[in-house]
């Protein structure tokens, strides 16, 4: 506020020194002040519409090639509402500076562009309607455009501060990630050179070191001890299932009621079968109850499933044992070298 006041006082002093009359009135009442003092006529709006129409026609015309400054002042696509009398004066001066100010015998300009812009300036100055146009533009700028620009600037500053904060946060996260990366490289013994290329080179070199380990694992899988261990485990599982089947049959026999009559035996069998199914759905005790109710049919089915699994597992083990470990390992390394050398 103090800066604006200082600048206003300086402008007031310069105006006084130049012999100009300083008008100290509210900016939004400048047009009314001009009308009250009859500096502009009451019908100035009609004349101003005519000037605006001629200004729009001049903007629609092509820019003169002899005066490139005109295209800089009013580039193609410029809207009429954004131009004032002072813009028209600037375009007229650019045409004169480009040497397009030659006049005819009747006092008019010989160049069409110069004549068109000269007519616009003359109509602006006729009746001092350029003062009313400038006052309207000033009120529009101060009352609407400047507050909008201030809000936009405040929003931009807020977004900038938020972006600066995010940038600092991302920089801290990047520094922490880099520290973790360097620590991981040191842990793996990669040293200071921990680039992607170096890691790939180390991985490609490690394939030759792992050959002996892979061969030893393959030999252990193909040994007779491994086959014997698998067969022993399958025999143990089969034994456990058969023991559970026998235990369930004994429990069902002891829990069955005495067979008094044939009808009573049928009803007892059906009830025991339904009870065994209900217990079987819960798990745990259902194995014994289901075996007793169903006459021991669930346990033999489980034993048959175990036999099938055991037979399949043994067949797969024998198939693995029949493969040459060294040739399979060499083939796998060749495929890895051909398909993923750079991606290691």
């Amino acid at each position: 506020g103090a800066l604006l006041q200082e600048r206003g006082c300086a402008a007031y002093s310069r105006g006084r020194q130049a012999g100009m009359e300083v008008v100290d009135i509210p900016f939004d009442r400048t047009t009314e002040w001009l009308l009250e003092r009859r500096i502009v006529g009451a019908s100035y709006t009609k004349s101003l519409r005519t000037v605006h129409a001629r200004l729009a026609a001049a903007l629609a015309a092509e820019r003169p090639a002899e005066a490139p400054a005109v295209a800089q002042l009013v580039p193609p696509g410029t809207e009429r509402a954004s131009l004032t009398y002072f813009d028209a004066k600037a375009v007229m001066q650019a045409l004169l500076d480009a040497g397009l100010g030659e006049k005819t015998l009747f006092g008019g300009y010989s160049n069409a562009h110069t004549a068109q812009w000269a007519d616009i300036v003359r109509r602006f100055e006729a009746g001092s309607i350029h003062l009313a146009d400038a006052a309207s533009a000033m009120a529009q700028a101060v009352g609407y455009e400047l507050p909008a620009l201030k809000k936009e600037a405040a929003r931009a500053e807020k977004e900038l501060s938020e972006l600066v904060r995010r940038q600092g946060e991302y920089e801290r996260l990047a520094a922490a990630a880099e520290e973790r990366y360097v620590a991981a490289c040191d842990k793996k013994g990669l040293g200071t050179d921990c680039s992607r290329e170096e890691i790939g080179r180390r991985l490609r070199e490690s394939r030759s070191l792992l050959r002996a380990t892979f061969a030893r694992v393959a030999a252990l899988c193909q040994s007779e001890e491994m086959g014997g261990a698998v067969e022993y485990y399958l025999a143990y599982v089969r034994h456990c299932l058969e023991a559970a089947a026998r235990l369930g049959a004994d429990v069902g026999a002891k829990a069955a009621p005495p067979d008094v009559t044939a009808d009573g035996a049928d009803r007892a069998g059906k009830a025991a079968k339904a009870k065994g199914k209900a217990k079987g759905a819960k798990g745990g005790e259902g194995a014994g109850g289901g075996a007793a109710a169903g006459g021991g049919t669930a346990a033999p089915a489980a034993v048959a499933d175990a036999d099938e699994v055991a037979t399949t597992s043994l067949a797969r083990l024998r198939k693995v044992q029949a493969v040459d470990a060294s040739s399979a390992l060499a083939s796998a390394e060749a495929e890895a070298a051909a398909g993923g050398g750079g991606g290691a």
Side-chain angles (χ1 to χ4, degrees), residues 257 262-278 289 292-295:
D263 295 337
D266 292 339
R267 288 195 298 271
K270 292 180 180 179
K273 187 175 182 180
K275 184 177 180 181
K277 289 183 179 180

Side-chain angles (χ1 to χ4, degrees), residues 202 204-214:
R202 295 288 187 91
R204 287 190 293 271
E205 290 180 353
S206 65
R207 289 188 304 183
S208 60
L209 302 177
L210 292 175
R211 182 183 179 87
T213 303
F214 291 157

Side-chain angles (χ1 to χ4, degrees), residues 117-169:
W117 284 97
D119 179 64
I120 293 172
V121 172
R122 181 180 58 81
R123 290 178 179 273
F124 261 124
E125 294 175 350
S128 300
I129 62 174
H130 65 288
L131 298 178
D133 184 61
S136 177
M138 179 178 62
Q140 176 72 17
V142 176
Y144 299 98
E145 295 181 5
L146 289 179
L149 290 175
K150 288 182 179 180
K151 290 182 180 179
E152 185 176 356
R155 183 169 58 254
E157 289 180 357
K158 185 177 180 180
E159 292 179 357
L160 179 61
S161 61
E162 178 66 17
L163 291 175
V164 170
R165 185 190 66 81
R166 290 184 180 180
Q167 181 182 4
E169 182 179 354

Side-chain angles (χ1 to χ4, degrees), residues 4-14:
L4 292 176
Q5 184 177 3
E6 180 181 354
R7 291 181 177 178
C9 294
Y12 182 86
S13 300
R14 288 195 300 271

Side-chain angles (χ1 to χ4, degrees), residues 87-110:
D87 298 314
K89 285 282 290 184
V91 172
M92 184 63 188
Q93 188 61 41
L95 292 170
L96 295 177
D97 294 340
L100 301 178
E102 296 181 0
K103 293 186 176 182
T104 63
L105 295 175
F106 300 99
Y109 291 98
S110 59

Side-chain angles (χ1 to χ4, degrees), residues 221-224 226-227 316-324:
C221 291
Q222 293 180 339
S223 63
E224 293 295 333
M226 178 63 72
R316 291 179 177 176
L317 179 62
R318 298 307 181 191
K319 185 177 180 180
V320 170
Q321 290 178 342
V323 177
D324 187 3

Side-chain angles (χ1 to χ4, degrees), residues 7 52 59 69 136 138-140 175 181 192 216-217 231 317 320:
R7 291 181 177 178
H52 288 168
L59 292 176
S136 177
M138 179 178 62
Q140 176 72 17
Y181 182 73
T192 57
R216 185 168 61 255
V217 172
E231 292 178 357
L317 179 62
V320 170

